[in-house]
Amino acid sequence: LYFVLYAGLYQVGFRTVGVKGRTWDLAPLVFVSLFVNALVPSGGAGGAAVFIDDAIQRGESGARAAVGVVWVLIADLVTLVPFILYGSFYLHRHQALKFYDVLGVGVFIFFVAGLCFLLVLAGWQVKILRGVLGVVQRLANRVAGWFKHPTWLGEEWPSKTAKELADAVHTFLTTPRWMVYSLLVGLFLHILNLAGLYILFLAFQQPVQLGTLVSGFGMGVVFYVVTILPQGVGTVLGIMTLVFNSMGIPKANALVITLTFRGLNFWLPVLCGFLLIRSLSRFKSTSG
């Protein structure tokens, strides 16, 4: 249910920028993007490319899809902020907030602000955006030149792409209703995820207070986003176990609950992505 709802968030997010998509068609892409992000250390760009490529395959604008992917990420992360702040306050009140927790939350908020700045840049500073894309074009062509494709991105690419991105952002800003829908879906998504974690505590017959539950969940999300390791592999498990243990949960119980949560929330979906990747038409065509 959580991952189908995540696909619904992409549908609503794409609708905000004028890109069509159905939840059931986007659901396999959610799993494939998780697999790609876990396989390729690209800071999430690999998973985003899966959605953008799918939109292009369906005849939609790649630039609009890119803005839609950024907005989905923003909606996902912004609606996490209340959980993270509440968890941080709860840890501070119980004198369990560590320096690395504060640092992680600060980096997380800075990252979210940076994503918002990208949308602002695309919407109001097209000239600056065109210059940034020009630098990207030159770097990309230089790398492509090593493989005998020195004109991979044409001369018109920065101007054309900047215009498409600006148009997409303007569409985005003129559809506030869909923006609100995205945030509501994102909020419900995290409540559902948190409920899943609570059910695991019940399954292992471990009592837990709401503040402890939210604190471990929130810090797990923070280090999932800010860690340099792909998808927070190892880091999330460690930080959630530490937080739960610091709040009185026995270490063995904290470890097994967190391990099970990560298995259901990350490793099982990654496996699904691996199994689904060849079912996508573009992978079928290239593998034949």
Side-chain angles (χ1 to χ4, degrees):
L1 179 60
Y2 170 78
F3 285 102
V4 169
L5 188 60
Y6 211 121
L9 177 59
Y10 271 100
Q11 179 185 357
V12 176
F14 283 160
R15 179 64 180 81
T16 306
V17 295
V19 174
K20 297 178 182 178
R22 297 185 305 176
T23 297
W24 291 111
D25 294 330
L26 293 171
L29 301 180
V30 173
F31 293 105
V32 172
S33 67
L34 282 172
F35 171 72
V36 172
N37 284 335
L39 187 67
V40 182
S42 58
V50 170
F51 288 96
I52 296 169
D53 180 63
D54 176 76
I56 294 173
Q57 294 284 337
R58 294 186 286 106
E60 301 286 349
S61 166
R64 285 180 176 271
V67 174
V69 169
V70 173
W71 169 242
V72 168
L73 182 57
I74 290 175
D76 181 12
L77 299 182
V78 165
T79 49
L80 279 165
V81 170
F83 298 92
I84 293 170
L85 293 181
Y86 173 78
S88 300
F89 174 75
Y90 187 84
L91 289 175
H92 175 70
R93 193 175 67 178
H94 288 81
Q95 300 181 342
L97 187 66
K98 308 298 182 183
F99 170 75
Y100 51 79
D101 295 327
V102 177
L103 181 62
V105 171
V107 174
F108 178 90
I109 293 176
F110 180 80
F111 177 68
V112 175
L115 290 173
C116 296
F117 175 74
L118 284 178
L119 289 183
V120 172
L121 185 66
W124 285 284
Q125 296 295 332
V126 180
K127 185 175 180 180
I128 296 176
L129 179 62
R130 192 183 303 119
V132 172
L133 293 175
V135 174
V136 172
Q137 177 205 30
R138 289 190 292 273
L139 290 174
N141 285 342
R142 182 177 302 175
V143 173
W146 301 342
F147 302 94
K148 308 294 176 66
H149 295 286
T151 56
W152 183 49
L153 296 178
E155 292 296 327
E156 299 298 321
W157 182 81
S159 299
K160 180 181 177 181
T161 304
K163 183 179 184 305
E164 289 181 350
L165 288 172
D167 290 342
V169 172
H170 289 152
T171 301
F172 166 79
L173 294 174
T174 56
T175 53
R177 180 183 63 175
W178 289 101
M179 293 170 61
V180 173
Y181 287 165
S182 301
L183 294 173
L184 290 176
V185 172
L187 185 62
F188 183 70
L189 189 71
H190 304 314
I191 293 174
L192 184 64
N193 203 12
L194 190 63
L197 179 58
Y198 177 66
I199 290 172
L200 289 179
F201 274 88
L202 296 181
F204 287 97
Q205 300 180 351
Q206 173 60 58
V208 61
Q209 294 185 353
L210 178 63
T212 300
L213 186 75
V214 175
S215 299
F217 174 78
M219 287 304 163
V221 169
V222 165
F223 284 89
Y224 178 86
V225 173
V226 306
T227 182
I228 60 174
L229 297 174
Q231 306 298 286
V233 174
T235 308
V236 175
L237 176 63
I239 198 69
M240 290 183 69
T241 302
L242 282 173
V243 171
F244 289 142
N245 184 238
S246 69
M247 297 307 298
I249 305 296
K251 185 178 296 184
N253 288 4
L255 178 60
V256 72
I257 290 170
T258 303
L259 188 61
T260 307
F261 179 70
R262 283 289 283 170
L264 294 172
N265 190 260
F266 177 69
W267 290 111
L268 184 59
V270 166
L271 176 60
C272 292
F274 171 73
L275 297 175
L276 287 169
I277 192 168
R278 291 180 62 85
S279 68
L280 301 183
S281 59
R282 51 205 157 280
F283 289 105
K284 281 184 177 180
S285 61
T286 55
S287 62

